[in-house]
Short mmCIF file of all heavy atoms in Angstrom, two decimals:
data_model
loop_
_atom_site.label_atom_id
_atom_site.label_comp_id
_atom_site.label_asym_id
_atom_site.label_seq_id
_atom_site.Cartn_x
_atom_site.Cartn_y
_atom_site.Cartn_z
N PRO A 23 8.20 21.65 -55.99
CA PRO A 23 9.26 21.77 -54.99
C PRO A 23 10.66 21.75 -55.60
O PRO A 23 11.52 22.54 -55.22
CB PRO A 23 9.04 20.55 -54.10
CG PRO A 23 7.57 20.29 -54.17
CD PRO A 23 7.19 20.64 -55.62
N MET A 24 10.93 20.85 -56.58
CA MET A 24 12.23 20.74 -57.18
C MET A 24 12.60 22.07 -57.92
O MET A 24 13.67 22.54 -57.85
CB MET A 24 12.23 19.57 -58.18
CG MET A 24 13.57 19.44 -58.91
SD MET A 24 14.90 18.84 -57.84
CE MET A 24 14.47 17.07 -57.81
N HIS A 25 11.60 22.60 -58.65
CA HIS A 25 11.86 23.82 -59.40
C HIS A 25 12.13 25.00 -58.44
O HIS A 25 13.06 25.84 -58.65
CB HIS A 25 10.64 24.16 -60.27
CG HIS A 25 10.90 25.26 -61.26
ND1 HIS A 25 9.87 25.86 -62.03
CD2 HIS A 25 12.02 25.99 -61.57
CE1 HIS A 25 10.39 26.80 -62.75
NE2 HIS A 25 11.68 26.91 -62.52
N ALA A 26 11.36 25.04 -57.39
CA ALA A 26 11.57 26.08 -56.37
C ALA A 26 12.94 26.03 -55.76
O ALA A 26 13.63 26.99 -55.51
CB ALA A 26 10.52 26.03 -55.29
N GLY A 27 13.38 24.75 -55.46
CA GLY A 27 14.70 24.56 -54.89
C GLY A 27 15.85 25.01 -55.86
O GLY A 27 16.83 25.58 -55.37
N LEU A 28 15.65 24.76 -57.07
CA LEU A 28 16.70 25.12 -58.07
C LEU A 28 16.75 26.62 -58.16
O LEU A 28 17.89 27.19 -58.36
CB LEU A 28 16.36 24.57 -59.45
CG LEU A 28 16.53 23.04 -59.55
CD1 LEU A 28 16.05 22.51 -60.88
CD2 LEU A 28 18.00 22.64 -59.34
N LEU A 29 15.68 27.38 -58.04
CA LEU A 29 15.70 28.81 -58.08
C LEU A 29 16.42 29.39 -56.90
O LEU A 29 17.02 30.53 -57.00
CB LEU A 29 14.28 29.39 -58.19
CG LEU A 29 13.59 29.24 -59.54
CD1 LEU A 29 12.14 29.65 -59.42
CD2 LEU A 29 14.33 30.04 -60.60
N LEU A 30 16.38 28.76 -55.76
CA LEU A 30 17.05 29.25 -54.57
C LEU A 30 18.53 28.78 -54.52
O LEU A 30 19.28 29.25 -53.69
CB LEU A 30 16.34 28.80 -53.30
CG LEU A 30 14.94 29.41 -53.07
CD1 LEU A 30 14.29 28.85 -51.81
CD2 LEU A 30 15.00 30.90 -53.03
N LEU A 31 18.86 27.82 -55.34
CA LEU A 31 20.24 27.30 -55.33
C LEU A 31 21.30 28.33 -55.54
O LEU A 31 22.34 28.27 -54.80
CB LEU A 31 20.36 26.17 -56.37
CG LEU A 31 21.69 25.41 -56.42
CD1 LEU A 31 21.98 24.74 -55.05
CD2 LEU A 31 21.65 24.33 -57.56
N PRO A 32 21.16 29.30 -56.43
CA PRO A 32 22.24 30.30 -56.64
C PRO A 32 22.49 31.09 -55.36
O PRO A 32 23.71 31.38 -55.04
CB PRO A 32 21.72 31.20 -57.75
CG PRO A 32 20.73 30.33 -58.53
CD PRO A 32 20.13 29.44 -57.53
N GLY A 33 21.48 31.43 -54.61
CA GLY A 33 21.64 32.17 -53.38
C GLY A 33 22.39 31.38 -52.35
O GLY A 33 23.28 31.94 -51.65
N LEU A 34 22.04 30.14 -52.18
CA LEU A 34 22.65 29.27 -51.18
C LEU A 34 24.11 28.92 -51.61
O LEU A 34 24.98 28.81 -50.77
CB LEU A 34 21.82 27.99 -50.99
CG LEU A 34 20.43 28.29 -50.46
CD1 LEU A 34 19.52 27.10 -50.59
CD2 LEU A 34 20.49 28.75 -48.99
N THR A 35 24.32 28.79 -52.92
CA THR A 35 25.67 28.61 -53.41
C THR A 35 26.53 29.84 -53.15
O THR A 35 27.69 29.76 -52.83
CB THR A 35 25.66 28.29 -54.90
OG1 THR A 35 24.84 27.10 -55.13
CG2 THR A 35 27.03 27.99 -55.40
N ALA A 36 25.91 31.03 -53.30
CA ALA A 36 26.59 32.28 -53.06
C ALA A 36 27.07 32.34 -51.60
O ALA A 36 28.15 32.91 -51.32
CB ALA A 36 25.73 33.47 -53.37
N ALA A 37 26.32 31.75 -50.67
CA ALA A 37 26.74 31.76 -49.27
C ALA A 37 27.98 30.93 -49.09
O ALA A 37 28.88 31.27 -48.31
CB ALA A 37 25.65 31.26 -48.41
N VAL A 38 28.05 29.76 -49.80
CA VAL A 38 29.25 28.93 -49.76
C VAL A 38 30.48 29.69 -50.29
O VAL A 38 31.51 29.73 -49.71
CB VAL A 38 29.04 27.61 -50.58
CG1 VAL A 38 30.32 26.79 -50.58
CG2 VAL A 38 27.90 26.87 -49.98
N VAL A 39 30.27 30.32 -51.46
CA VAL A 39 31.36 31.08 -52.11
C VAL A 39 31.81 32.24 -51.19
O VAL A 39 32.96 32.53 -51.04
CB VAL A 39 30.88 31.63 -53.47
CG1 VAL A 39 31.95 32.56 -54.06
CG2 VAL A 39 30.60 30.47 -54.45
N GLY A 40 30.78 32.91 -50.57
CA GLY A 40 31.14 33.98 -49.71
C GLY A 40 32.02 33.55 -48.49
O GLY A 40 32.98 34.28 -48.15
N SER A 41 31.69 32.42 -47.91
CA SER A 41 32.52 31.90 -46.78
C SER A 41 33.93 31.60 -47.19
O SER A 41 34.89 31.97 -46.52
CB SER A 41 31.86 30.62 -46.23
OG SER A 41 30.61 30.89 -45.67
N LEU A 42 34.10 30.99 -48.34
CA LEU A 42 35.43 30.65 -48.83
C LEU A 42 36.20 31.92 -49.34
O LEU A 42 37.40 32.01 -49.09
CB LEU A 42 35.37 29.63 -49.95
CG LEU A 42 34.70 28.29 -49.54
CD1 LEU A 42 34.57 27.39 -50.78
CD2 LEU A 42 35.51 27.61 -48.47
N LEU A 43 35.50 32.82 -49.95
CA LEU A 43 36.12 34.04 -50.48
C LEU A 43 36.60 34.89 -49.28
O LEU A 43 37.64 35.64 -49.37
CB LEU A 43 35.14 34.80 -51.32
CG LEU A 43 35.65 36.13 -51.99
CD1 LEU A 43 36.72 35.78 -52.99
CD2 LEU A 43 34.47 36.79 -52.72
N ALA A 44 35.88 34.87 -48.17
CA ALA A 44 36.22 35.74 -47.08
C ALA A 44 37.55 35.36 -46.47
O ALA A 44 38.26 36.24 -45.90
CB ALA A 44 35.15 35.62 -45.98
N THR A 45 38.05 34.12 -46.62
CA THR A 45 39.33 33.75 -46.11
C THR A 45 40.49 34.52 -46.76
O THR A 45 41.56 34.71 -46.19
CB THR A 45 39.58 32.22 -46.24
OG1 THR A 45 39.62 31.91 -47.67
CG2 THR A 45 38.54 31.43 -45.54
N ARG A 46 40.26 34.94 -48.04
CA ARG A 46 41.25 35.77 -48.74
C ARG A 46 41.07 37.24 -48.49
O ARG A 46 42.00 37.99 -48.30
CB ARG A 46 41.21 35.40 -50.21
CG ARG A 46 41.70 34.00 -50.53
CD ARG A 46 41.78 33.78 -52.04
NE ARG A 46 42.33 32.44 -52.34
CZ ARG A 46 43.64 32.15 -52.39
NH1 ARG A 46 44.52 33.15 -52.19
NH2 ARG A 46 44.07 30.96 -52.68
N LEU A 47 39.78 37.65 -48.54
CA LEU A 47 39.49 39.05 -48.35
C LEU A 47 39.97 39.56 -47.00
O LEU A 47 40.41 40.72 -46.89
CB LEU A 47 37.96 39.28 -48.51
CG LEU A 47 37.43 39.07 -49.92
CD1 LEU A 47 35.91 39.25 -49.93
CD2 LEU A 47 38.07 39.96 -50.96
N VAL A 48 39.85 38.74 -45.98
CA VAL A 48 40.18 39.19 -44.62
C VAL A 48 41.67 39.50 -44.45
O VAL A 48 42.08 40.19 -43.51
CB VAL A 48 39.66 38.15 -43.61
CG1 VAL A 48 40.65 36.98 -43.59
CG2 VAL A 48 39.54 38.76 -42.21
N ARG A 49 42.49 39.01 -45.35
CA ARG A 49 43.92 39.29 -45.32
C ARG A 49 44.26 40.67 -45.86
O ARG A 49 45.36 41.19 -45.67
CB ARG A 49 44.70 38.25 -46.08
CG ARG A 49 44.55 36.80 -45.56
CD ARG A 49 45.28 35.81 -46.43
NE ARG A 49 44.98 34.42 -46.00
CZ ARG A 49 45.41 33.37 -46.70
NH1 ARG A 49 46.18 33.53 -47.76
NH2 ARG A 49 45.12 32.15 -46.28
N ARG A 50 43.33 41.22 -46.62
CA ARG A 50 43.61 42.50 -47.31
C ARG A 50 42.72 43.64 -46.84
O ARG A 50 43.17 44.82 -47.05
CB ARG A 50 43.38 42.30 -48.82
CG ARG A 50 44.20 41.17 -49.44
CD ARG A 50 44.04 41.19 -50.97
NE ARG A 50 44.55 42.41 -51.55
CZ ARG A 50 44.50 42.65 -52.85
NH1 ARG A 50 44.05 41.78 -53.68
NH2 ARG A 50 44.90 43.87 -53.32
N PHE A 51 41.65 43.36 -46.23
CA PHE A 51 40.73 44.46 -45.79
C PHE A 51 40.48 44.34 -44.31
O PHE A 51 40.54 43.29 -43.67
CB PHE A 51 39.42 44.39 -46.55
CG PHE A 51 39.57 44.52 -48.03
CD1 PHE A 51 39.59 43.36 -48.87
CD2 PHE A 51 39.72 45.74 -48.60
CE1 PHE A 51 39.75 43.48 -50.24
CE2 PHE A 51 39.86 45.87 -50.03
CZ PHE A 51 39.80 44.73 -50.81
N ALA A 52 40.17 45.54 -43.71
CA ALA A 52 39.84 45.58 -42.28
C ALA A 52 38.58 44.77 -42.03
O ALA A 52 37.64 44.82 -42.85
CB ALA A 52 39.67 47.01 -41.83
N MET A 53 38.52 44.07 -40.91
CA MET A 53 37.36 43.31 -40.57
C MET A 53 36.07 44.16 -40.50
O MET A 53 35.01 43.85 -40.97
CB MET A 53 37.52 42.61 -39.23
CG MET A 53 36.26 41.82 -38.77
SD MET A 53 36.49 41.08 -37.14
CE MET A 53 34.80 40.42 -36.90
N ALA A 54 36.21 45.37 -39.92
CA ALA A 54 35.07 46.26 -39.76
C ALA A 54 34.51 46.60 -41.13
O ALA A 54 33.26 46.56 -41.31
CB ALA A 54 35.51 47.55 -39.03
N SER A 55 35.35 47.00 -42.06
CA SER A 55 34.85 47.39 -43.41
C SER A 55 34.26 46.23 -44.18
O SER A 55 33.20 46.32 -44.76
CB SER A 55 36.04 47.94 -44.20
OG SER A 55 36.57 49.12 -43.57
N LEU A 56 34.96 45.06 -44.10
CA LEU A 56 34.46 43.87 -44.79
C LEU A 56 33.12 43.39 -44.25
O LEU A 56 32.25 43.09 -45.00
CB LEU A 56 35.52 42.79 -44.65
CG LEU A 56 35.39 41.55 -45.60
CD1 LEU A 56 35.34 42.01 -47.04
CD2 LEU A 56 36.53 40.58 -45.33
N LEU A 57 33.01 43.42 -42.91
CA LEU A 57 31.72 42.98 -42.31
C LEU A 57 30.61 43.96 -42.62
O LEU A 57 29.46 43.59 -42.95
CB LEU A 57 31.89 42.85 -40.80
CG LEU A 57 30.70 42.29 -40.04
CD1 LEU A 57 30.36 40.88 -40.56
CD2 LEU A 57 31.11 42.21 -38.52
N GLY A 58 30.88 45.26 -42.58
CA GLY A 58 29.90 46.28 -42.91
C GLY A 58 29.36 46.18 -44.32
O GLY A 58 28.17 46.23 -44.59
N VAL A 59 30.30 45.91 -45.30
CA VAL A 59 29.89 45.81 -46.70
C VAL A 59 29.06 44.50 -46.90
O VAL A 59 28.08 44.47 -47.58
CB VAL A 59 31.13 45.75 -47.57
CG1 VAL A 59 30.75 45.34 -49.03
CG2 VAL A 59 31.80 47.14 -47.58
N ALA A 60 29.45 43.41 -46.25
CA ALA A 60 28.78 42.17 -46.40
C ALA A 60 27.32 42.28 -45.90
O ALA A 60 26.38 41.80 -46.57
CB ALA A 60 29.48 41.06 -45.60
N LEU A 61 27.14 42.93 -44.75
CA LEU A 61 25.78 43.06 -44.18
C LEU A 61 24.94 43.99 -45.05
O LEU A 61 23.73 43.83 -45.20
CB LEU A 61 25.87 43.61 -42.78
CG LEU A 61 26.52 42.64 -41.78
CD1 LEU A 61 26.63 43.31 -40.43
CD2 LEU A 61 25.69 41.37 -41.64
N ALA A 62 25.59 45.02 -45.61
CA ALA A 62 24.86 45.98 -46.48
C ALA A 62 24.39 45.27 -47.79
O ALA A 62 23.29 45.52 -48.24
CB ALA A 62 25.76 47.15 -46.86
N VAL A 63 25.18 44.34 -48.34
CA VAL A 63 24.86 43.60 -49.50
C VAL A 63 23.63 42.74 -49.15
O VAL A 63 22.67 42.66 -50.01
CB VAL A 63 26.02 42.74 -50.01
CG1 VAL A 63 25.55 41.75 -51.03
CG2 VAL A 63 27.09 43.64 -50.57
#
């Protein structure tokens, strides 16, 4: 279980980074474009 959790940690950390990064990206890009790219990723 511990090993499995560590392997998923980068993805869950990426979600934290994505939330914080979006506060800056939303000032420069249209919401429609930013949301579309995020969902496509």
Side-chain angles (χ1 to χ4, degrees):
M24 179 71 81
H25 190 189
L28 289 173
L29 284 174
L30 293 179
L31 184 60
L34 296 167
T35 303
V38 176
V39 173
S41 294
L42 299 175
L43 184 63
T45 62
R46 293 187 175 274
L47 294 176
V48 76
R49 299 176 187 175
R50 303 187 60 180
F51 300 98
M53 176 184 175
S55 301
L56 194 55
L57 186 58
V59 170
L61 295 175
V63 168

